[in-house]
Amino acid sequence: MAYISIWPDILRDSYYYATSNPYDKYLKDININGKTFKYYDLNAFGSKYATSNPYDKYLKDININGKTFKYYDLNAFGSKYDRLPYSIRVLLESCVRNCDNFQVLEKDVQNVLDWETNQKVEGGVEIAFKPARVILQDLTGVPAVVDFAAMRDAVKDLGGDPDKINPICPADLVIDHSVQVDFARTPDALNKNQELEFQRNKERFQFLKWGAQAFDNMLIVPPGSGIVHQVNLEYLARVVFTNDVLHPDSVVGTDSHTTMINGLGVVGWGVGGIEAEAVMLGQAISMLLPKVVGYKLVGELNPLATSTDLVLTITKHLRSLGVVGKFVEFFGPGVAALSIADRATVANMCPEFGATVAHFPVDNRSLQYLVQTNRSDEKIKIIEAYLRATKQFRDYTNAEEDPIFSEVVELDLSTVVTSVSGPKRPQDRVSVSVMKKDFNDCLTNKVGFKGYGITPEQMKASGSFTYSDGATYTITHGSVIIAAITSCTNTSNPTVMLGAGLLAKKAVENGLSVLPYIKTSLSPGSGVVTYYLKESGVVPYLEKLGFNIVGYGCMTCIGNSGPIDDNIANTIEKNELVCCGVLSGNRNFEGRIHPNTRANYLASPLLVIAYALAGTVDIDFETQPLGKRADGSSVFLRDIWPTRAEIQQVEDKNVIPSMFKEVYSRIEMGSDAWQALDVPRGKLYGWDVNSTYIKKPPFFDGMTKELPTIRGIINARCLLLLGDSVTTDHISPAGSIARNSPAARYLANRGLSPREFNSYGSRRGNDAVMSRGTFANIRLVNKLSSRPGPTTAHQPTNEPMDVFDAAERYASEGVPLIAIVGKDYGSGSSRDWAAKGPFLLGIRAVIAESFERIHRSNLVGMGIIPLQFLEGENAESLGITGKETYSVQLPDNLSPGDMATVTMDNGKSFQVKIRFDTEVDLTYFKHGGILNYMIRKML
């Protein structure tokens, strides 16, 4: 229940929003012990001040297992509630429960209740939403904890109480992005990789362990435990919160694949790190009420098809329909046949088809999964009783329960065929039956998402090298160099993991093997996966093919694929070969997986092994064998492919609750190395000025209690002129630190050798490294530069420079900066450094044809102005070269949806839309960013 206990702060803080406080009329004098004090007489507000949540009248008692709980009875809203999509019912419940008429208004409740009408409103209807919890992974979690520590310092410096800076909303942080595949194909690969992980990340891990004791309401899951989204699914998810008032679990996370939890019926999505920090501090998310696409599933999957094939099919379908900013909710009889792991696989790929969530409401299968994953009987009974009482429990076979949707699309599961996606984007699905032709077409197509521009003469290119085993091997276009069973997408799914194990068993029994130079790896999503792979007896066969367990984390999918043999790398580069990576992941953008795998394909774990066995993607599995048996007969993929029934039999026998109980009973303890970490105590962090991992950020330097003056942008230069589909992989530092980069020079100047550089991900707590790595992707195409990569041209000299060096020079000249970009700017993973980095480079505004939802929010959160070209206009149509100077005049009384004029020094000007979509966006911008706003609120 929410009580209006924060009204005094609202009145006092009105100072920041007006030249004179409009509530000074309520000031009164009070005499205490002979002294006169002033105070705001809140009784002037009458009943609204005197009462609690106006929806407390809907509170009811429910008795479950002899215990009485309270809950908000949403049925009181009648037929309007019954017609709402199930995902929208979660938003409604949150608004009802958190209604305080400040952050969450009665108008928000009514707007959600009137979803059927409001979702059609041009420009959208704004609502406030308070998620039940926040989840972080370490790459995005470290900077969040760094910011919290720096905010404590800032509050102290401004005369406030630093202890006020604590997560108010429960926060879980899983360390899973730090381990990389340095060692593979050996029995000791796991131990060696984990040892290196601790060596490289000791400072970061110490800092996080400090945070675990310094901050209240924050759980840290140590490294080696599993991938954040799988741990969330198997252990952290509440489904229903049982404290105070029963309410649905909901979550935002600092990783875009937070959406995976929707497979279990928990509404969740990825947000930027700075937005997540605000939620942790008790702030509501301001969002536009989404359209909800009903995705109807009918029929059954082909016995040979996998959930990976299903998700790649759905990804291509929904990306082509256009669902950015929308919720997708699955319904229909076909859903009932999907396991929770299958649903989670689909929900995981939600960012790849562009939706905000891909939701599967809770049903009986969800409850069965909770039993399987060792949730208590008492908790499961509470979940079922509460969800049934509030009509949030689904029977997918009952069409009478189907709600109203914005639009409905349908997929017959029987039409799903074995597929991969690539070579450069997850939405570019290719049926395996035509993969050989598609790859060869890609080679000769002009350079683009489906093309490499290889000439007829280059098509026959090949190269030979001597490997460590002393043998000589030849590789060509299409040769597989990396084959990784990795990522939250598939390693959470016992069906495809056990399927891969059974395929490996049959392959070995038929005499097949994987070429020794292919970097094969297996990184399970949790210890439970290892448990059931061992129990089912398939591990020896996986290891025989080189798929040894190398670590518990994202690894290859996030770009932590580690090095490949120098001889292979040199051969690829010398002969300009398009060699391949095949992985069971969710992202395959250029430059992400490995610099030497120019083509990368997403595939099921079974197909990862199949292509590793083939050694190339240039193969037709129907007509070309994988190899020969000892008797000389051919072995085709169809000979070793297990059926869904075979896999299900093994799964039913080996995936049992006791595994989950044993693994998760010790998850918070961590390894011996984690337990041995020496951690400083205290509420304020003792920053080490010599640390190259953890550094106090400059975001609050010079901050005052008073609001800064809002000014336009005068005579800015364009640092980058970019095209369409620039992802956060292009913007945010990720992967290895190149030895010739500004970040490398910074580290070298501090006495580090190249082998100590580590990755950008591991150094996200150091703004000096991260700002130098912003826009450092080797595939970045900046039209101000003559070649791909992290370079630009300083103006007006036109001198070619690294992006960071140019920004530093502009800063010394006192010149503000902008970036001019194309469509879908900032798509991909939700990375706060994709906004923090540009801010530190001095970029004041980004002018784009369109923005990805999360990234636009992050730009606002850092005080960067998102400006959008008018429909039909772009840099090319307006004749912008990037060499002009640009001035942006902001309106005097800035409001959401306002327009601005951009004037160039060549006399031309054009109109842009200022993408402050809500009043909250404006508030954050006026404060210089969301964290600055929160600091002032805490004083």
Side-chain angles (χ1 to χ4, degrees):
M1 290 176 284
Y3 293 87
I4 309 175
S5 60
I6 53 176
W7 271 90
D9 290 337
I10 301 168
L11 304 184
R12 186 185 67 243
D13 292 349
S14 292
Y15 171 83
Y16 296 120
Y17 303 97
T19 53
S20 61
N21 190 331
Y23 295 101
D24 282 352
K25 61 187 176 184
Y26 297 144
L27 273 174
K28 282 192 175 181
D29 292 338
I30 185 171
N31 189 286
I32 306 172
N33 294 333
K35 291 184 179 181
T36 300
F37 299 86
K38 288 190 178 295
Y39 73 101
Y40 288 95
D41 184 9
L42 306 184
N43 295 302
F45 290 102
S47 61
K48 280 194 175 181
Y49 171 67
T51 61
S52 59
N53 186 327
Y55 293 100
D56 282 354
K57 59 188 177 183
Y58 294 151
L59 272 174
K60 277 193 173 182
D61 291 339
I62 184 172
N63 189 284
I64 307 170
N65 292 337
K67 292 183 179 180
T68 301
F69 299 89
K70 289 190 178 295
Y71 73 102
Y72 284 93
D73 184 12
L74 304 182
N75 296 300
F77 290 112
S79 60
K80 278 189 177 180
Y81 175 69
D82 295 341
R83 293 166 65 87
L84 291 177
Y86 285 70
S87 51
I88 300 299
R89 296 179 196 191
V90 175
L91 300 187
L92 177 65
E93 192 282 336
S94 175
C95 286
V96 167
R97 178 169 36 87
N98 291 296
C99 184
D100 58 8
N101 278 314
F102 170 48
Q103 289 197 64
V104 182
L105 311 177
E106 289 178 71
K107 185 175 86 171
D108 292 314
V109 174
Q110 194 60 47
N111 281 339
V112 180
L113 188 60
D114 291 335
W115 171 86
E116 191 174 346
T117 300
N118 287 334
Q119 53 99 14
K120 301 173 185 176
V121 173
E122 185 69 27
V125 173
E126 179 187 352
I127 64 165
F129 172 57
K130 295 190 80 169
R133 60 189 175 94
V134 175
I135 194 163
L136 315 164
Q137 41 97 329
D138 55 315
L139 292 195
T140 50
V142 165
V145 182
V146 166
D147 287 348
F148 265 60
M151 288 171 72
R152 278 192 171 176
D153 288 347
V155 169
K156 179 176 180 292
D157 292 343
L158 291 171
D161 180 4
D163 281 356
K164 285 187 177 181
I165 302 294
N166 271 305
I168 296 169
C169 183
D172 302 312
L173 188 154
V174 180
I175 303 173
D176 70 336
H177 277 55
S178 299
V179 63
Q180 68 180 44
V181 192
D182 290 283
F183 299 93
R185 301 193 69 151
T186 61
D188 59 355
L190 172 63
N191 289 335
K192 284 187 173 181
N193 287 328
Q194 289 183 336
E195 286 172 9
L196 265 180
E197 178 188 17
F198 265 82
Q199 290 174 23
R200 290 171 174 149
N201 298 286
K202 184 177 180 181
E203 286 183 50
R204 295 172 62 250
F205 291 171
Q206 284 177 315
F207 174 69
L208 288 175
K209 200 171 179 184
W210 166 81
Q213 60 84 29
F215 295 106
D216 299 330
N217 215 16
M218 178 184 287
L219 170 69
I220 305 285
V221 177
S225 303
I227 300 175
V228 56
H229 307 304
Q230 187 159 347
V231 174
N232 192 18
L233 197 69
E234 296 177 352
Y235 178 65
L236 297 173
R238 281 73 157 177
V239 184
V240 168
F241 271 76
T242 57
N243 51 320
D244 297 330
V245 177
L246 297 180
H247 62 272
D249 189 2
S250 58
V251 62
V252 292
T254 55
D255 188 287
S256 52
H257 295 101
T258 301
T259 56
M260 184 172 180
I261 201 62
N262 283 273
L264 188 55
V266 177
V267 171
W269 65 85
V271 296
I274 42 188
E275 191 175 6
E277 291 169 39
V279 174
M280 290 164 69
L281 289 165
Q283 294 296 291
I285 288 176
S286 179
M287 62 183 288
L288 296 178
L289 196 62
K291 292 180 182 293
V292 181
V293 177
Y295 201 99
K296 187 174 185 179
L297 297 179
V298 298
E300 294 183 9
L301 281 175
N302 181 305
L304 299 180
T306 68
S307 58
T308 313
D309 304 320
L310 171 62
V311 73
L312 296 180
T313 301
I314 291 173
T315 299
K316 183 176 183 178
H317 185 199
L318 286 175
R319 179 59 79 169
S320 66
L321 289 174
V323 292
V324 172
K326 300 176 183 179
F327 282 13
V328 175
E329 186 168 303
F330 292 85
F331 74 110
V335 179
L338 297 181
S339 69
I340 297 304
D342 289 344
R343 299 176 194 180
T345 304
V346 174
N348 179 283
M349 289 283 278
C350 179
E352 279 61 63
F353 45 82
T356 304
V357 303
H359 191 61
F360 292 84
V362 173
D363 71 339
N364 280 318
R365 270 195 179 260
S366 311
L367 300 181
Q368 292 166 11
Y369 179 82
L370 294 175
V371 172
Q372 184 185 49
T373 52
N374 197 47
R375 268 67 167 209
S376 72
D377 290 342
E378 180 184 14
K379 180 65 184 290
I380 294 169
K381 287 177 181 177
I382 294 172
I383 290 170
E384 181 176 7
Y386 167 73
L387 293 179
R388 286 189 183 278
T390 55
K391 296 180 182 175
Q392 297 183 76
F393 193 89
R394 274 239 61 172
D395 177 357
Y396 287 102
T397 63
N398 183 2
E400 292 183 2
E401 291 185 5
D402 294 348
I404 299 297
F405 293 110
S406 306
E407 59 180 304
V408 172
V409 292
E410 184 173 309
L411 175 68
D412 185 341
L413 295 176
S414 66
T415 64
V416 174
V417 297
T418 309
S419 305
V420 297
S421 275
K424 302 181 185 183
R425 297 190 304 182
Q427 64 261 39
D428 294 329
R429 186 190 68 83
V430 184
S431 298
V432 169
S433 60
V434 298
M435 174 61 176
K436 180 181 176 71
K437 180 181 183 304
D438 188 83
F439 175 73
N440 281 281
D441 288 345
C442 286
L443 290 177
T444 56
N445 288 345
K446 68 178 183 179
V447 175
F449 295 125
K450 293 286 288 185
Y452 292 94
I454 303 296
T455 65
E457 296 77 21
Q458 293 173 316
M459 282 291 288
K460 297 179 180 179
S462 65
S464 299
F465 61 91
T466 301
Y467 193 57
S468 57
D469 61 357
T472 299
Y473 299 93
T474 300
I475 53 177
T476 62
H477 296 307
S479 290
V480 173
I481 304 301
I482 291 175
I485 299 175
T486 182
S487 171
C488 50
T489 310
N490 287 288
T491 60
S492 64
N493 194 324
T495 304
V496 293
M497 294 299 288
L498 288 168
L502 291 175
L503 187 143
K505 181 175 184 291
K506 293 184 179 184
V508 171
E509 289 172 346
N510 279 273
L512 301 181
S513 61
V514 175
L515 290 165
Y517 64 80
I518 297 176
K519 190 167 188 178
T520 49
S521 60
L522 169 59
S523 49
S526 77
V528 174
V529 179
T530 302
Y531 207 133
Y532 65 65
L533 288 177
K534 286 182 176 178
E535 288 297 309
S536 62
V538 298
V539 168
Y541 302 99
L542 288 164
E543 291 178 343
K544 184 78 172 177
L545 297 182
F547 287 91
N548 299 76
I549 293 174
V550 295
Y552 295 90
C554 282
M555 304 191 84
T556 298
C557 188
I558 195 64
N560 288 356
S561 54
I564 63 171
D565 185 275
D566 285 343
N567 290 335
I568 301 174
N570 292 336
T571 302
I572 292 171
E573 292 167 9
K574 179 181 177 181
N575 296 282
E576 298 182 347
L577 299 176
V578 179
C579 290
C580 301
V582 184
L583 65 153
S584 63
N586 47 42
R587 292 271 164 83
N588 55 342
F589 302 129
E590 280 191 284
R592 179 184 177 99
I593 306 306
H594 193 280
N596 292 119
T597 57
R598 293 173 62 189
N600 294 283
Y601 287 92
L602 306 181
S604 68
L606 294 87
L607 281 175
V608 170
I609 294 178
Y611 279 111
L613 290 166
T616 181
V617 300
D618 188 13
I619 182 175
D620 180 349
F621 287 127
E622 278 299 308
T623 61
Q624 295 176 263
L626 291 171
K628 302 283 187 180
R629 298 183 180 88
D631 62 6
S633 60
S634 295
V635 182
F636 290 87
L637 181 57
R638 58 180 173 269
D639 298 330
I640 61 172
W641 193 274
T643 65
R644 205 169 177 87
E646 285 180 80
I647 299 167
Q648 194 63 55
Q649 185 178 6
V650 176
E651 182 178 345
D652 292 344
K653 180 181 177 182
N654 293 287
V655 184
I656 54 178
S658 60
M659 293 180 177
F660 293 88
K661 181 178 181 179
E662 182 172 338
V663 168
Y664 285 110
S665 65
R666 57 180 187 272
I667 192 170
E668 294 176 31
M669 294 176 58
S671 64
D672 291 343
W674 175 262
Q675 293 177 46
L677 283 177
D678 184 29
V679 178
R681 310 294 294 181
K683 295 295 185 180
L684 294 175
Y685 188 67
W687 305 98
D688 179 359
V689 295
N690 296 315
S691 174
T692 57
Y693 280 96
I694 304 297
K695 178 178 174 291
K696 184 178 179 180
F699 304 135
F700 314 120
D701 291 354
M703 183 178 170
T704 62
K705 291 183 179 180
E706 296 74 27
L707 283 178
T709 301
I710 296 177
R711 295 185 176 90
I713 303 171
I714 307 298
N715 294 330
R717 288 289 182 179
C718 178
L719 185 63
L720 299 118
L721 180 62
L722 307 173
D724 296 342
S725 296
V726 173
T727 72
T728 51
D729 277 12
H730 293 103
I731 309 166
S732 180
S736 301
I737 297 173
R739 297 188 179 191
N740 60 347
S741 66
R745 294 198 297 272
Y746 169 84
L747 294 172
N749 288 339
R750 278 150 186 78
L752 274 68
S753 64
R755 66 180 182 84
E756 297 173 303
F757 288 170
N758 209 334
S759 65
Y760 282 113
S762 68
R763 295 188 181 275
R764 290 175 87 109
N766 186 318
D767 63 270
V769 172
M770 298 302 282
S771 60
R772 285 164 171 79
T774 302
F775 295 108
N777 190 291
I778 59 171
R779 304 295 182 195
L780 182 75
V781 178
N782 180 11
K783 296 174 186 178
L784 293 174
S785 179
S786 59
R787 57 187 173 84
T791 58
T792 191
H794 174 269
Q795 302 300 327
T797 63
N798 211 35
E799 179 184 349
M801 304 179 74
D802 286 328
V803 168
F804 175 82
D805 294 338
E808 195 172 43
R809 182 162 163 182
Y810 281 126
S812 69
E813 297 166 347
V815 177
L817 299 174
I818 65 169
I820 302 175
V821 301
K823 297 185 182 75
D824 299 327
Y825 180 69
S827 56
S829 301
S830 55
R831 292 180 175 168
D832 57 334
W833 273 107
K836 289 178 177 176
F839 171 81
L840 292 176
L841 291 178
I843 291 176
R844 296 277 309 282
V846 176
I847 308 176
E849 290 185 65
S850 64
F851 294 92
E852 193 79 355
R853 176 186 62 86
I854 298 174
H855 187 61
R856 186 207 63 83
S857 176
N858 277 353
L859 291 176
V860 173
M862 286 308 301
I864 295 174
I865 308 171
L867 303 173
Q868 190 160 318
F869 288 109
L870 300 186
E871 186 70 29
E873 294 185 349
N874 55 34
E876 185 177 359
S877 70
L878 294 169
I880 296 171
T881 66
K883 297 182 179 181
E884 304 88 352
T885 63
Y886 309 83
S887 296
V888 183
Q889 183 64 47
L890 298 177
D892 292 334
N893 297 308
L894 196 55
S895 300
D898 274 353
M899 307 292 288
T901 300
V902 181
T903 304
M904 298 183 286
D905 60 352
N906 59 9
K908 295 181 179 180
S909 64
F910 57 95
Q911 290 280 104
V912 291
K913 183 178 181 179
I914 307 171
R915 287 295 310 277
F916 295 139
D917 293 349
T918 65
E919 289 292 343
V920 173
D921 284 348
L922 274 178
T923 300
Y924 293 159
F925 173 69
K926 289 174 181 177
H927 279 264
I930 192 171
L931 300 182
N932 307 64
Y933 165 77
M934 289 306 306
I935 287 171
R936 290 191 177 99
K937 292 295 290 181
M938 291 293 177
L939 294 177

